[in-house]
Amino acid sequence: MPTAVSTNSFQLPITFTDFKELTKVRLAVSVVFSSIAGYFLGAEQVQASSLLFLAFGGYCMVGASNIYNQIIERDLDVLMKRTKNRPIPAGRVSPLVALILAIVLTIGGVASLYALNPKTAFFAALSIFLYACVYTPLKTKTPLAVFVGAIPGAIPFMLGWVAATNEFGIEPGTLFMIQFFWQFPHFWALGWMLDEDYKKGGFKMLPTGKKDTGTAFQIILYTIWMLVISIMPVFGFTGNLILSIPAAILVFVMGMVMLIFAFKLYEKRTNKAARNLMLASVSYITLVQLVYVFDKMIVGWI
């Protein structure tokens, strides 16, 4: 009589739902969006194959970084409400399976971006290294971790330009700086909202370590820097990265809206005010990238 075969014999070691959680699908898609926006800004002619390599490589890059992060922090994630049900701390995915997946994504992502050009692959590999090996360990040591984490976080927007041109200069440098300074108000607002939970895991995310006027004031300062850099291309200082006057006005208005939310956080110092700023920041970076891309298309058409 034939032996019954367990249905578990053919189960994959990870479900699609857990894969999405490990790679943080929403974050990964937003990064791919930033990369594609940068590509459109740098490309003279858009090639579908290049966009596919960039999208696939970008997702792999972010996914691998997030998995390495979750492997390293698995014992701390158990302590926090927002992370204790992640696949690794919840026991649904073993650290070994997660590590294998992260390595596969690293190789696949870097190889995909190398097919575009070596510079793109280099910046992707640098991003993974900084996020997993520098930013992640620093999160429990010093609030300066946010500064370090802002570097790989700012790479995607400029990565698209490098992918399109195989060059790194003032143009991708400006795109990098826009997203670099944007991350401080964004992540400090998030850190403000989740401060109690972060402290359970020993993470030091706020610049002063407290939800106080000092943190709120720094959020205002970095928001101003972000706004200034975002409109710099209108003055002709940024090479081939150009912004028309109407587009610059639109970017300025959007930046002022975000700055108002930063001042409201300084005034009220509540989680609700922090949440409003965080949501405003997400809208800002997405809309700025769209304005830049459509401005280039409209000016080129005219």
Side-chain angles (χ1 to χ4, degrees), residues 45-175:
Q45 291 185 333
V46 175
Q47 297 182 346
S49 59
S50 296
L51 285 175
L52 288 174
F53 279 123
L54 181 61
F56 177 77
Y59 191 98
C60 289
M61 175 185 73
V62 182
S65 298
N66 287 325
I67 295 173
Y68 290 129
N69 173 271
Q70 291 176 60
I71 293 171
I72 295 168
E73 294 180 349
R74 62 188 184 275
D75 293 333
L76 301 177
D77 282 347
V78 175
L79 305 175
M80 297 182 290
K81 182 179 179 181
R82 71 182 188 90
T83 57
K84 65 182 181 180
N85 198 43
R86 284 176 173 175
I88 299 175
R92 298 194 303 274
V93 177
S94 72
L96 178 59
V97 169
L99 179 61
I100 293 171
L101 177 59
I103 292 172
V104 170
L105 289 176
T106 300
I107 295 171
V110 172
S112 178
L113 297 175
Y114 188 87
L116 294 172
N117 58 66
K119 288 188 180 72
T120 305
F122 167 77
F123 283 119
L126 178 64
S127 175
I128 295 172
F129 172 78
L130 288 174
Y131 192 88
C133 299
V134 184
Y135 165 68
T136 296
L138 280 178
K139 287 166 69 177
T140 57
K141 306 295 182 184
T142 172
L144 288 174
V146 174
F147 178 88
V148 176
I151 298 173
I155 285 177
F157 199 15
M158 57 150 276
L159 194 72
W161 185 288
V162 176
T165 64
N166 194 25
E167 295 179 358
F168 180 81
I170 186 66
E171 300 92 349
T174 302
L175 299 180

Side-chain angles (χ1 to χ4, degrees), residues 135-278:
Y135 165 68
T136 296
L138 280 178
K139 287 166 69 177
T140 57
K141 306 295 182 184
T142 172
L144 288 174
V146 174
F147 178 88
V148 176
I151 298 173
I155 285 177
F157 199 15
M158 57 150 276
L159 194 72
W161 185 288
V162 176
T165 64
N166 194 25
E167 295 179 358
F168 180 81
I170 186 66
E171 300 92 349
T174 302
L175 299 180
F176 174 90
M177 294 303 290
I178 291 171
Q179 199 150 352
F180 177 79
F181 280 101
W182 166 81
Q183 286 180 92
F184 292 94
H186 174 74
F187 283 108
W188 283 337
L190 184 63
W192 188 296
M193 292 165 49
L194 302 173
D195 184 56
E196 290 77 12
D197 212 24
Y198 274 132
K199 285 179 177 176
K200 293 177 183 177
F203 295 125
K204 304 177 186 297
M205 303 304 291
L206 297 178
T208 66
K210 301 176 183 178
K211 299 194 290 186
D212 58 10
T213 54
T215 288
F217 182 69
Q218 290 195 50
I219 288 174
I220 291 171
L221 288 180
Y222 279 87
T223 303
I224 292 171
W225 274 112
M226 174 205 73
L227 174 56
V228 170
I229 295 170
S230 295
I231 62 172
M232 273 183 58
V234 77
F235 299 107
F237 300 147
T238 53
N240 293 322
L241 181 64
I242 301 170
L243 199 62
S244 69
I245 293 176
I249 293 173
L250 184 56
V251 169
F252 179 79
V253 170
M254 292 189 299
M256 288 301 298
V257 171
M258 185 171 160
L259 186 59
I260 289 171
F261 281 108
F263 273 107
K264 285 186 177 295
L265 177 59
Y266 183 88
E267 176 189 357
K268 297 181 178 180
R269 298 191 295 281
T270 62
N271 284 351
K272 182 179 180 181
R275 176 176 172 78
N276 289 338
L277 173 60
M278 188 273 294

